[in-house]
Amino acid sequence: MNVKDFYYELPQELIAQDPLKDRSSSRLMVLGREDGAIEHHVFRDIVNYLHPGDCLVLNNTKVLPARLYGTKEGTNAGIELLLLKRLADNCWETLVKPGKKAKIGTKLQFGDGILTGEIIDIVEEGNRIIRFSYTGIFEELLDKLGEMPLPPYITHHLDDKQRYQTVYAKEEGSAAAPTAGLHFTKELLAQLTDRGVELAEVTLHVGLGTFRPVKVANVSDHHMHSEFYRLDKEQADKINRAKAGGHRVIAVGTTSTRTLESIADENGRVRAASGWTQIFLYPGARFRCIDGLVTNFHLPESTLIMLVSAFAGREHVLHAYAQAVKERYRFFSFGDAMLII
């Protein structure tokens, strides 16, 4: 299967640059998984498609304000840092710009020196390992100094950091938001629970690999990035109860999907587990756990549109995307949503 099989034309002006004032007022395309039928709604109408006993699975990861701007000690040359992965002993794997002059031993400072760091190693793909020094709590300093690591296709400044968080975010560790969840409000979630829909939570910390382009012609040759996930027993029990009762498990986002499909057995049952997943779902993959998917509209030729195509069929998905372009839907992270059932 060729990567070009997942290409579609997208006018630049349809890339959403700002979040809507009301999260739940995004548009919602409902796509029939079996027949490709399409309906157009507003996101809050999703309550009409979820039934008592269904289990909606949310990724409760929280995005770190992981982009830092600082200077190189001694030269005051500007430097940009993106925190990718927390390691031991106050060390982080990071992406540094400009990278050529970020040599081992280089010392950095941020916020007039309230946070300092030293590059101690260079690893895969040129990422730098930095050991930080500071007084106080690292997360509080990040909240003060850091900016949200918005994807490269968003060029507008985000005034409110919370708009790049889901309302249920609590487990810090992501370099990007699980954007399908951005449409939910606390009121909408309360409506769903009142309706008898079970809410379950997983954690998958989204890495920047989610934005990494597929650079090989043959899809199966792509090396999938690794991301940390966790599912505890209480949440696993909720999902298994829905399956046992003949109800649907509906994943909110590709991240929840990857978590569940990494853990599920042949009968679709899940267990408490944690670890790293490199699961790559593209057409031909068999879905063992999920029966429905809430997702945004994704980049052409990305692993995300491949996952959606694996679940709903490539022809159905590309037709739906063509309709979304025709109807002027908003695309990508701050854009509109799709429900596939």
Side-chain angles (χ1 to χ4, degrees):
M1 184 164 287
N2 195 287
V3 66
K4 295 189 183 304
D5 294 336
F6 301 92
Y7 179 78
Y8 67 93
E9 292 281 351
L10 180 67
Q12 190 77 13
E13 66 270 17
L14 295 186
I15 300 174
Q17 292 295 321
D18 304 288
L20 297 181
K21 187 174 181 181
D22 174 9
R23 292 172 182 260
S24 64
S25 65
S26 299
R27 296 171 74 182
L28 176 69
M29 176 184 287
V30 179
L31 175 65
R33 185 183 179 193
E34 298 300 325
D35 60 7
I38 292 171
E39 298 176 16
H40 303 286
H41 295 276
V42 176
F43 190 81
R44 65 179 70 93
D45 295 339
I46 197 170
V47 295
N48 300 322
Y49 290 89
L50 301 181
H51 310 315
D54 285 346
C55 185
L56 190 69
V57 183
L58 312 167
N59 181 5
N60 65 13
T61 189
K62 190 172 185 178
V63 185
L64 289 165
R67 179 167 277 122
L68 291 165
Y69 294 93
T71 56
K72 290 170 64 177
E73 195 176 280
T75 67
N76 285 327
I79 200 152
E80 178 184 339
L81 206 70
L82 194 59
L83 304 178
L84 300 177
K85 187 187 299 182
R86 188 194 298 266
L87 308 173
D89 302 323
N90 290 323
C91 294
W92 284 77
E93 183 177 340
T94 68
L95 180 65
V96 179
K97 293 181 182 179
K100 287 186 178 178
K101 296 184 179 179
K103 297 185 166 101
I104 293 174
T106 300
K107 295 184 178 179
L108 312 171
Q109 62 176 10
F110 308 89
D112 296 323
I114 62 173
L115 176 66
T116 61
E118 180 180 354
I119 298 174
I120 62 171
D121 200 4
I122 299 174
V123 294
E124 186 181 359
E125 298 184 354
N127 293 343
R128 267 61 174 175
I129 305 298
I130 296 180
R131 179 184 290 122
F132 288 100
S133 300
Y134 53 91
T135 300
I137 299 171
F138 186 75
E139 285 76 13
E140 289 182 358
L141 290 175
L142 260 192
D143 196 50
K144 180 178 181 180
L145 301 175
E147 294 185 5
M148 283 300 187
L150 297 179
Y153 48 74
I154 294 178
T155 58
H156 290 190
H157 179 74
L158 182 65
D159 293 324
D160 181 3
K161 290 180 182 178
Q162 294 308 308
R163 292 313 308 274
Y164 196 58
Q165 300 280 20
T166 63
V167 297
Y168 45 81
K170 59 186 178 186
E171 301 291 341
E172 285 190 327
S174 274
T179 54
L182 294 179
H183 306 282
F184 288 95
T185 62
K186 290 182 178 178
E187 294 76 15
L188 184 54
L189 292 171
Q191 270 186 271
L192 289 168
T193 55
D194 289 345
R195 190 178 174 87
V197 175
E198 185 84 79
L199 303 182
E201 294 184 1
V202 300
T203 302
L204 182 133
H205 292 319
V206 188
L208 285 186
T210 193
F211 302 118
R212 188 173 296 149
V214 178
K215 294 181 179 178
V216 293
N218 189 327
V219 168
S220 62
D221 291 335
H222 176 67
H223 176 69
M224 194 66 174
H225 58 285
S226 181
E227 293 172 321
F228 178 79
Y229 70 85
R230 182 171 56 250
L231 175 65
D232 68 29
K233 185 178 185 305
E234 180 185 357
Q235 307 303 316
D237 288 346
K238 292 179 182 180
I239 295 163
N240 290 334
R241 276 199 303 270
K243 295 298 270 187
H247 303 292
R248 299 175 299 176
V249 173
I250 297 171
V252 177
T254 57
T255 59
S256 297
T257 300
R258 293 181 69 230
T259 303
L260 295 175
E261 295 300 326
S262 294
I263 299 171
D265 65 17
E266 286 299 314
N267 299 313
R269 290 180 58 84
V270 294
R271 68 192 190 284
S274 66
W276 295 83
T277 180
Q278 289 181 287
I279 191 171
F280 182 19
L281 298 166
Y282 57 91
R286 176 173 166 246
F287 288 78
R288 296 177 292 189
C289 185
I290 74 165
D291 307 293
L293 174 62
V294 181
T295 188
N296 280 17
F297 292 90
H298 303 293
L299 276 75
E301 300 181 351
S302 64
T303 60
L304 305 180
I305 194 173
M306 292 173 191
L307 182 153
V308 175
S309 297
F311 185 65
R314 188 182 71 90
E315 292 78 10
H316 288 167
V317 169
L318 290 181
H319 175 67
Y321 272 54
Q323 290 301 303
V325 170
K326 181 180 177 182
E327 298 292 331
R328 311 293 289 177
Y329 273 65
R330 301 165 73 248
F331 278 67
F332 305 165
S333 295
F334 286 143
D336 296 316
M338 175 187 284
L339 170 64
I340 303 172
I341 50 173

